[in-house]
Amino acid sequence: MIPIQLTLEGLYSYQERQTIDFKSLTEAGLFGIFGSVGSGKSSILEAITFALYGETERLHSRDKRAYNMMNLKSNRFFIEFDFYNFENKKFRAIREFERNSKNFEDVKPYDVTFYEWKENRWEPLPHVNTKEIINLTYENFKRTIIIPQGQFKEFLELKATDRTNMMKEIFNLSKFDLQGNVSTLNAKNKSDLDQLEGQLKGFEEINEEQISVQKENLILQQKKFEKVKNEFSQIEKKYQLQKNLKIDFELLNQKQESFKKLSLEKTDIDLLEKQTERFDQVFRLFNPLISEKNKLQKEIEFKKKEQKNQGEILAETEAKFNLLKKDIEAILPQYEVLDQSKIQENDLSLLLQMLQFSDEIKILKERTEKGSEKVKEVTENQKVFKEKIEVLVKNSEFLKSQRLDAQLLLNVGNWFSKKKNLAETLQIQNKKITDFKLEIEKVLEELKPFNINLESFKNDFELKNETLEIQKKLLSEKRNHLQVQQQLSHFSTELHDGESCPLCGALEHPNVVEFEDVQIELATTLKQIEEVENQQKEIQKSMSEIEKILDRKKFFESQLKAEEETFNQLNTEVENHQSHFRWKEFNSEKENDFELKRNQSFDLEKQIEEVSKTISQEQNNLEKERESLEKFNKALEDFKLKEKEVETKFQTNQSNLKNLSWANFQGKSFEEVEESYQNLSKSNLKTEQDYQSLMKQEKELSPKFAEQKTISEQLGKRISELEKEISENGTVLIQYLEAHQFNDLKEVETILGQEINVQNNRNQVQKFKIDFETLKNGVDELALKLKDFSFDEAQFAALETQFKSGENDLKIANDNVVKLASEIDRLEKEFKKKEELLKELSKLQKRADHLKTMTNLFKGAGFVQYVSSIYLRQLCDHANIRFHRMTRNQLSLQLNENNDFEIVDFLNEGRSRSVKTLSGGQAFQVSLSLALALAESVQSNAQAEKNFFFIDEGFGTQDLESVNVVFETLTNLQKENRIVGIISHVEELKEKMPISLNVIKDEERGSLIT
């Protein structure tokens, strides 16, 4: 993960929105974030982890996290973080929440959205799972990329199980946890084995001997089948001949019976044929003429009814048309004088406008007179304001000539301010030196109870420890001797003749050695060993306490030296500052005189400012008067133009009058003229509308009246034509009746009323004739065929019984052969399948042995622990490269048999000790080395082009020389294409950094990034 940009607002001390561009920082390879304690440095890392995971080290969700994380002066919390993942893809994480305006302590749940940069735009992701993006959980992110305060030694002090789980997740060691896979394979193999053994139980009786016996039986059954088949063939020929004769004689009898029935039906069929032909002839001759006659009669009735209705409508329309003509004749005289009446209406409209124009001209003349008076008043006011401004400007120029140079006051004020700050800093620095001296005295007091020589105490303790070790060795040898003697004594008391010796196995024991009871002496020896071990522990404990005290003494002495150097530098800076005072107007020792003159200058500035404000105010008043004057002049001009415009309109209207005169209406009121105009306008409008409406009705009714007349005449003509056609139709019918010898039309209608289906009857007759002839020919042919043959039913029954018996014997013989052949085929297939199952059983049994071996190998995640230990040792080797350099080859890191970290101390003959015995500075060095090695391994697995690592603690525990070694290590990382960021308040580091950010805390604005 490589950071690109971080924007935060409303987080802890960050009141205003701040943005960090990491591009220039990461390009440098090594950068720092510096600031005083509590300035908000660590909040930057917390903002990154919260943006990615929604988790923080300081607060949990149950701690009212949203409320406590938000700045108390802010109502909105916002974090936006852009970064590259291990695949060099660009992502953005945004988290924000707002304070409830009605309840200060209620902070609404935050919104979170992740984006990915695709095709030059941000596309939202469907999830907020950071582990999918950067391939690290929150816990391991804190251990490998950004290490917050208080977490730096976590990996070093993790228990073996927790560390193995961490390695398993970070390095994807779960792929080596094959226990589940092996168990699945073993279960499947066992299931397959059980299933196969169950299948083989069904093949126990299948063998080659059984197949041979069945083949011999098949040969015998095949011979028997051939014999039965030959006998049945002879019987079948005789039976088939008799069966065919029986069928022919039975068929002849059936056909003779059917022919008798058809002969009886022939008379009815002949009558049906005659009736059908008579009906068909009448239908074709008379049906069209009768249908046409009926159709013409119906149409005549319809047309006569329609003619009657049309006559009624025509009479009604004619009455309306005559009435309309009378109305038009009545309104025509009024319409002819309508044009003259409209001219008079227009003149009245013009006169109304002229009356309005006359009133407007009077009003405009009054406004013009008042406007002229207002212009004179405003002109006088302008003159007064100009005189006031001239007096104020002269007063301001006089005050400005009395004031001091502002830059001079600023420079001198800054000089006195810096002098005061240097004096206060010098006092604080002197107090720090005094405090460190007191701390060193306290440390020396803590060493007095140990009564040691600081130069030789280590050798003294080592001599004591070696003496105790020799004493312990001698006591241990004595203990072993006594324990052997005690055991032999026990054996000797248990020896009895005839029983075997537990040591040599002999049954006879002639010279049994007797031993004294050594139990008391053994107990004394064990107690002495315990006392020696306790003394060793006390020596080790004292040694550890003394080293801790000496480490503190060394730290305080280094801090005292640094503070004394700072004190000397401050003294030099005070002297330099004093030499830079070059203003003759003031005295460097008389700050009060300077303050008095500066205050006088400030009062003078206030007076100048007040005069300037008054001038500005009067100028504004003058400007307002000028604007008023322009406004009044413009209004006066508008009045005059408006008056002229209205007079022009009045003259235009007067010239347009045609029938009426202005003189006749000048004295009348507007309402009186308007009433005359409205009455005339309404009368003209009504006359025009009524005339147009009547003309429109005449235009619509005239063609309608002519059309109805035409329709009535056409209906009369059509009725005459239809009556003529009916007469012609009757003449033709009489001719047809006479020609075909019918008495009248009723006889024809009786025949047609039968409703005979001609086609069906003809088909029925035709079918009967065909069946009759076919049956007759069939009887004759069968009688001729059977003329020389006879059939005996009893003889046929005996032969049929013999045939069925032979057929049954043949089926039984054939079934026996088929069954035996099928059984042999089944046995051969089953035998082959049995051989294949036995081969598969052998394979599965062999696989079961292999899986058992693999189960023992991968049981209890043992293989994962083994692989994890290899990764840990590699980490240890990588960490030692830097740890050796930082500790000047005095210390080394190793893993013990329990996969726990321990320290190898080369100053003490390379003996190992717990990592908990390290000093604060040494613990930081080994933690930094391990963290760097872990981060390199994790990020190299991700195959990232660049690796990023952030540290937020530890540098304050290092002396100046150690800081230089750590910085050299971090600088070397830059050459290895790795990016390292640190957070610290150590000034020595800040001076060495190629690029850095500063975080300051303003009382009003909160934390600011510069």
Side-chain angles (χ1 to χ4, degrees):
M1 190 278 296
I2 306 294
I4 302 172
Q5 180 174 289
L6 174 67
T7 301
L8 62 159
E9 176 188 351
L11 171 67
Y12 294 129
S13 58
Y14 287 88
Q15 182 178 341
E16 299 179 1
R17 177 166 294 201
Q18 302 290 308
T19 299
I20 302 174
D21 185 358
F22 282 101
K23 291 179 182 176
S24 58
L25 300 176
T26 55
E27 285 173 2
L30 178 63
F31 66 90
I33 299 176
F34 296 93
S36 59
V37 175
S39 61
K41 305 184 298 298
S42 299
S43 299
I44 294 172
L45 298 191
E46 193 163 349
I48 293 175
T49 54
F50 189 73
L52 292 173
Y53 294 95
E55 296 288 345
T56 68
E57 279 302 300
R58 295 195 222 180
L59 298 167
H60 300 283
S61 56
R62 61 180 178 271
D63 298 326
K64 294 178 66 177
R65 181 165 57 195
Y67 170 77
N68 287 309
M69 286 182 72
M70 185 180 286
N71 184 280
L72 294 175
K73 294 182 179 180
S74 299
N75 292 321
R76 182 171 183 260
F77 173 102
F78 177 81
I79 301 176
E80 179 183 274
F81 181 51
D82 296 351
F83 61 95
Y84 292 107
N85 75 339
F86 62 94
E87 297 175 318
N88 208 30
K89 293 180 180 179
K90 188 158 73 170
F91 293 88
R92 170 174 288 176
I94 296 177
R95 292 183 189 263
E96 59 181 328
F97 40 79
E98 295 181 352
R99 193 185 303 280
N100 189 337
S101 58
K102 297 180 180 178
N103 184 357
F104 184 81
E105 294 188 1
D106 179 24
V107 178
K108 298 176 182 178
Y110 61 82
D111 295 326
V112 53
T113 312
F114 277 33
Y115 300 86
E116 183 177 359
W117 184 257
K118 289 183 178 179
E119 298 177 357
N120 294 323
R121 62 191 179 92
W122 290 109
E123 291 189 3
L125 295 179
H127 66 85
V128 290
N129 188 347
T130 307
K131 188 177 184 300
E132 288 187 15
I133 298 173
I134 63 174
N135 205 24
L136 284 174
T137 62
Y138 171 62
E139 295 298 328
N140 291 331
F141 181 82
K142 294 186 301 176
R143 294 165 179 158
T144 58
I145 293 183
I146 291 182
I147 302 181
Q149 285 184 349
Q151 301 288 319
F152 206 62
K153 294 196 297 180
E154 183 187 9
F155 179 67
L156 182 69
E157 296 177 353
L158 278 177
K159 293 182 179 179
T161 304
D162 296 334
R163 193 183 297 113
T164 299
N165 291 334
M166 175 184 167
M167 299 293 286
K168 180 178 177 181
E169 180 180 325
I170 290 179
F171 295 105
N172 194 24
L173 300 186
S174 56
K175 62 186 177 185
F176 297 107
D177 188 3
L178 303 177
Q179 182 180 2
N181 295 346
V182 171
S183 298
T184 302
L185 290 174
N186 197 17
K188 186 178 184 305
N189 191 73
K190 188 175 184 305
S191 174
D192 293 344
L193 200 59
D194 293 341
Q195 189 176 359
L196 197 59
E197 288 174 349
Q199 288 178 345
L200 282 169
K201 286 181 180 179
F203 293 90
E204 292 175 351
E205 297 180 358
I206 296 173
N207 50 55
E208 291 182 344
E209 183 179 352
Q210 186 183 14
I211 294 171
S212 299
V213 171
Q214 293 293 343
K215 284 182 177 180
E216 290 176 359
N217 290 337
L218 177 61
I219 293 169
L220 294 174
Q221 290 296 329
Q222 285 174 339
K223 290 179 179 179
K224 183 178 180 182
F225 173 74
E226 288 297 328
K227 180 181 178 183
V228 172
K229 183 179 178 183
N230 293 332
E231 292 175 353
F232 177 74
S233 178
Q234 294 175 2
I235 296 170
E236 185 180 21
K237 289 178 183 178
K238 294 178 183 179
Y239 173 74
Q240 199 62 42
L241 180 62
Q242 289 297 314
K243 185 177 180 182
N244 291 337
L245 282 173
K246 181 183 179 184
I247 292 169
D248 287 343
F249 276 107
E250 289 176 350
L251 183 60
L252 178 60
N253 292 333
Q254 290 175 1
K255 286 186 175 185
Q256 286 174 343
E257 289 294 325
S258 299
F259 184 72
K260 288 178 183 177
K261 289 179 182 180
L262 287 178
S263 298
L264 294 173
E265 294 175 4
K266 191 172 184 307
T267 305
D268 296 334
I269 293 298
D270 291 342
L271 179 61
L272 178 64
E273 183 178 14
K274 185 178 178 181
Q275 289 176 346
T276 301
E277 293 304 322
R278 177 65 172 166
F279 175 82
D280 184 50
Q281 182 185 18
V282 172
F283 183 82
R284 282 187 284 103
L285 288 171
F286 291 97
N287 191 61
L289 292 171
I290 293 171
S291 297
E292 182 66 19
K293 178 187 175 186
N294 293 335
K295 178 182 174 185
L296 290 171
Q297 284 178 342
K298 286 181 180 179
E299 189 173 357
I300 287 172
E301 291 173 2
F302 175 76
K303 290 296 181 183
K304 284 182 177 179
K305 187 176 181 181
E306 189 176 0
Q307 186 182 34
K308 183 181 177 183
N309 292 336
Q310 192 63 36
E312 293 173 357
I313 293 169
L314 180 61
E316 184 180 350
T317 303
E318 187 177 7
K320 287 181 180 178
F321 186 73
N322 293 332
L323 182 62
L324 185 61
K325 278 187 174 182
K326 288 179 182 179
D327 292 340
I328 291 171
E329 290 172 358
I331 201 170
L332 189 59
Q334 298 175 14
Y335 183 75
E336 288 173 350
V337 297
L338 183 62
D339 290 339
Q340 287 298 321
S341 184
K342 282 188 173 181
I343 290 170
Q344 187 175 351
E345 179 186 349
N346 186 57
D347 284 355
L348 284 171
S349 175
L350 293 172
L351 287 166
L352 281 171
Q353 292 178 9
M354 290 168 69
L355 287 170
Q356 288 178 333
F357 292 154
S358 178
D359 293 339
E360 284 183 25
I361 289 168
K362 291 178 184 177
I363 294 168
L364 288 169
K365 284 182 178 180
E366 292 174 0
R367 287 184 176 179
T368 302
E369 290 174 3
K370 291 180 181 178
S372 298
E373 293 174 1
K374 192 68 178 176
V375 167
K376 290 178 183 179
E377 181 184 343
V378 172
T379 304
E380 289 298 323
N381 290 340
Q382 272 189 337
K383 187 177 179 182
V384 173
F385 284 127
K386 285 180 180 178
E387 291 173 355
K388 282 185 180 179
I389 289 169
E390 288 176 0
V391 173
L392 289 169
V393 168
K394 288 179 182 179
N395 188 21
S396 175
E397 288 175 354
F398 174 75
L399 290 173
K400 286 179 181 177
S401 65
Q402 301 296 317
R403 68 182 178 185
L404 293 172
D405 181 23
Q407 188 62 43
L408 174 66
L409 291 173
L410 179 63
N411 292 338
V412 177
N414 289 340
W415 188 91
F416 277 113
S417 179
K418 187 174 181 182
K419 179 183 177 183
K420 185 178 180 181
N421 291 337
L422 285 171
E424 291 175 353
T425 306
L426 202 62
Q427 186 178 355
I428 292 169
Q429 197 64 29
N430 190 33
K431 187 177 182 304
K432 286 183 180 179
I433 291 170
T434 305
D435 291 343
F436 278 120
K437 286 180 179 179
L438 290 173
E439 290 294 336
I440 292 170
E441 289 176 3
K442 287 180 183 178
V443 170
L444 291 173
E445 286 295 325
E446 290 178 19
L447 286 171
K448 284 182 180 179
F450 293 102
N451 194 20
I452 59 170
N453 185 343
L454 294 177
E455 300 295 330
S456 62
F457 80 94
K458 288 187 178 180
N459 292 331
D460 295 342
F461 276 121
E462 286 179 5
L463 287 173
K464 286 182 182 179
N465 196 42
E466 288 175 0
T467 303
L468 289 171
E469 193 66 36
I470 293 168
Q471 186 179 353
K472 180 182 175 182
K473 185 177 180 182
L474 293 172
L475 288 170
S476 297
E477 290 175 354
K478 182 178 179 182
R479 178 199 61 195
N480 294 337
H481 177 72
L482 290 171
Q483 286 176 340
V484 171
Q485 189 173 352
Q486 185 184 37
Q487 191 65 35
L488 290 172
S489 173
H490 174 73
F491 286 146
S492 65
T493 56
E494 295 295 323
L495 288 177
H496 300 284
D497 288 338
E499 296 179 0
S500 60
C501 175
L503 299 178
C504 64
L507 296 175
E508 295 181 359
H509 322 292
N511 298 310
V512 177
V513 180
E514 294 183 0
F515 295 93
E516 296 179 3
D517 187 4
V518 295
Q519 188 170 357
I520 296 172
E521 188 177 358
L522 179 61
T524 304
T525 303
L526 290 173
K527 188 175 182 181
Q528 289 173 345
I529 292 171
E530 184 180 354
E531 289 174 355
V532 170
E533 288 176 345
N534 289 335
Q535 290 176 22
Q536 284 182 317
K537 289 179 181 177
E538 286 295 325
I539 290 171
Q540 187 66 34
K541 182 179 178 183
S542 299
M543 185 75 172
S544 176
E545 291 177 1
I546 291 167
E547 284 180 345
K548 287 181 182 178
I549 295 169
L550 289 176
D551 285 339
R552 284 166 51 214
K553 178 176 175 290
K554 186 177 179 182
F555 169 74
F556 289 137
E557 287 172 347
S558 65
Q559 292 294 323
L560 176 62
K561 184 179 178 182
E563 298 298 342
E564 286 174 343
E565 288 176 358
T566 305
F567 182 79
N568 295 331
Q569 290 174 359
L570 286 171
N571 274 326
T572 305
E573 192 173 350
V574 169
E575 293 172 0
N576 290 335
H577 183 67
Q578 186 67 34
S579 65
H580 288 157
F581 191 86
R582 59 182 182 277
W583 300 280
K584 296 178 182 180
E585 297 90 340
F586 305 100
N587 189 332
S588 63
E589 302 300 326
K590 295 181 178 180
E591 186 178 354
N592 292 334
D593 293 348
F594 165 74
E595 290 294 335
L596 179 61
K597 289 183 179 180
R598 184 163 66 172
N599 290 334
Q600 291 174 353
S601 180
F602 287 159
D603 293 339
L604 193 61
E605 287 292 339
K606 288 180 181 178
Q607 293 177 24
I608 293 169
E609 186 178 353
E610 288 174 0
V611 172
S612 298
K613 286 181 179 177
T614 306
I615 292 170
S616 177
Q617 187 176 355
E618 293 299 330
Q619 286 175 339
N620 288 337
N621 293 334
L622 179 61
E623 186 63 30
K624 287 179 182 177
E625 291 299 322
R626 284 175 184 165
E627 290 174 358
S628 298
L629 183 59
E630 289 178 3
K631 179 180 175 184
F632 292 140
N633 282 329
K634 188 175 182 301
L636 194 60
E637 289 295 324
D638 290 343
F639 292 153
K640 290 178 180 179
L641 289 171
K642 184 71 174 175
E643 183 182 348
K644 189 174 181 181
E645 183 183 345
V646 173
E647 286 177 350
T648 303
K649 289 179 179 179
F650 181 87
Q651 296 297 330
T652 302
N653 283 7
Q654 190 172 10
S655 64
N656 288 332
L657 292 174
K658 293 180 179 179
N659 292 341
L660 302 177
S661 171
W662 165 250
N664 297 330
F665 289 89
Q666 188 174 0
K668 292 185 178 182
S669 66
F670 180 84
E671 289 76 10
E672 186 180 354
V673 176
E674 185 179 24
E675 185 180 358
S676 300
Y677 169 75
Q678 293 292 341
N679 292 335
L680 182 60
S681 176
K682 289 177 182 177
S683 175
N684 290 342
L685 180 63
K686 185 175 184 309
T687 300
E688 185 175 12
Q689 288 177 346
D690 290 347
Y691 180 77
Q692 288 176 352
S693 175
L694 291 170
M695 293 306 293
K696 183 181 178 183
Q697 291 177 29
E698 183 190 21
K699 188 177 179 181
E700 291 174 355
L701 199 58
S702 181
K704 189 175 179 183
F705 179 60
E707 180 187 1
Q708 288 174 354
K709 261 183 161 184
T710 304
I711 291 170
S712 183
E713 291 171 357
Q714 288 176 349
L715 285 171
K717 289 179 182 179
R718 179 60 182 159
I719 290 169
S720 299
E721 291 173 358
L722 289 172
E723 287 175 345
K724 184 179 179 182
E725 288 178 12
I726 284 177
S727 176
E728 292 173 354
N729 180 272
T731 303
V732 173
L733 273 173
I734 292 169
Q735 291 174 358
Y736 272 48
L737 288 170
E738 292 174 353
H740 295 280
Q741 299 178 356
F742 284 103
N743 296 324
D744 53 19
L745 186 61
K746 190 173 181 181
E747 185 178 353
V748 173
E749 289 175 348
T750 302
I751 294 171
L752 292 174
Q754 295 177 0
E755 297 183 356
I756 295 173
N757 190 328
V758 175
Q759 189 60 43
N760 286 349
N761 288 353
R762 283 177 177 171
N763 292 340
Q764 184 180 352
V765 170
Q766 184 67 24
K767 182 178 181 301
F768 178 82
K769 289 179 178 180
I770 293 169
D771 292 343
F772 185 81
E773 292 298 325
T774 302
L775 193 58
K776 182 181 178 184
N777 293 333
V779 171
D780 293 342
E781 288 174 2
L782 276 174
L784 182 63
K785 178 181 176 182
L786 299 173
K787 182 173 67 172
D788 299 327
F789 293 94
S790 62
F791 175 75
D792 186 349
E793 186 67 36
Q795 186 180 357
F796 175 77
L799 187 61
E800 185 177 30
T801 302
Q802 189 179 3
F803 171 79
K804 288 182 179 179
S805 176
E807 186 178 39
N808 186 48
D809 293 342
L810 182 65
K811 184 177 181 300
I812 292 170
N814 183 59
D815 289 345
N816 291 336
V817 171
V818 171
K819 284 181 181 177
L820 278 172
S822 298
E823 179 65 13
I824 291 168
D825 183 58
R826 184 188 71 80
L827 289 172
E828 288 177 341
K829 287 179 180 177
E830 293 292 311
F831 185 74
K832 186 176 181 181
K833 188 175 180 181
K834 180 180 180 181
E835 289 179 334
E836 292 174 354
L837 289 174
L838 288 171
K839 289 179 183 178
E840 186 66 22
L841 180 66
S842 176
K843 289 180 183 178
L844 289 176
Q845 287 172 341
K846 189 174 183 181
R847 181 176 176 81
D849 294 337
H850 293 163
L851 287 171
K852 184 178 181 181
T853 304
M854 292 174 72
T855 300
N856 294 331
L857 178 63
F858 297 117
K859 183 167 59 178
F863 191 61
V864 175
Q865 292 176 1
Y866 170 70
V867 176
S868 173
S869 67
I870 293 174
Y871 274 82
L872 277 173
R873 293 184 193 283
Q874 290 176 349
L875 276 178
C876 213
D877 293 340
H878 292 158
N880 275 328
I881 296 172
R882 295 188 179 91
F883 189 44
H884 288 167
R885 191 185 309 133
M886 291 182 189
T887 61
R888 306 171 192 85
N889 294 320
Q890 295 177 4
L891 300 175
S892 180
L893 189 67
Q894 71 175 17
L895 283 172
N896 60 21
E897 63 276 5
N898 296 323
N899 276 347
D900 286 324
F901 287 117
E902 58 185 21
I903 296 298
V904 177
D905 192 342
F906 294 110
L907 293 179
N908 291 289
E909 300 178 358
R911 294 180 180 177
S912 61
R913 55 190 172 95
S914 170
V915 292
K916 295 180 181 179
T917 63
L918 292 173
S919 66
Q922 291 170 336
F924 170 76
Q925 290 172 344
V926 70
S927 298
L928 175 61
S929 302
L930 259 179
L932 289 171
L934 182 61
E936 288 168 3
S937 299
V938 170
Q939 299 182 20
S940 64
N941 282 351
Q943 298 180 345
E945 293 180 4
K946 289 186 176 182
N947 298 331
F948 178 73
F949 186 70
F950 223 128
I951 307 169
D952 182 17
E953 67 174 328
F955 297 100
T957 63
Q958 304 295 295
D959 56 27
L960 184 59
E961 186 178 355
S962 297
V963 168
N964 291 332
V965 173
V966 170
F967 184 78
E968 181 185 349
T969 301
L970 298 177
T971 306
N972 290 332
L973 289 174
Q974 184 181 2
K975 299 174 185 176
E976 300 169 8
N977 204 23
R978 290 177 174 84
I979 302 167
V980 179
I982 66 169
I983 288 182
S984 179
H985 60 273
V986 178
E987 289 296 322
E988 289 83 353
L989 273 178
K990 182 178 179 182
E991 294 170 1
K992 296 175 182 291
M993 282 292 158
I995 187 170
S996 62
L997 295 177
N998 290 316
V999 182
I1000 60 173
K1001 190 171 183 181
D1002 187 272
E1003 291 184 1
E1004 295 296 327
R1005 299 171 61 193
S1007 295
L1008 304 173
I1009 297 171
T1010 60

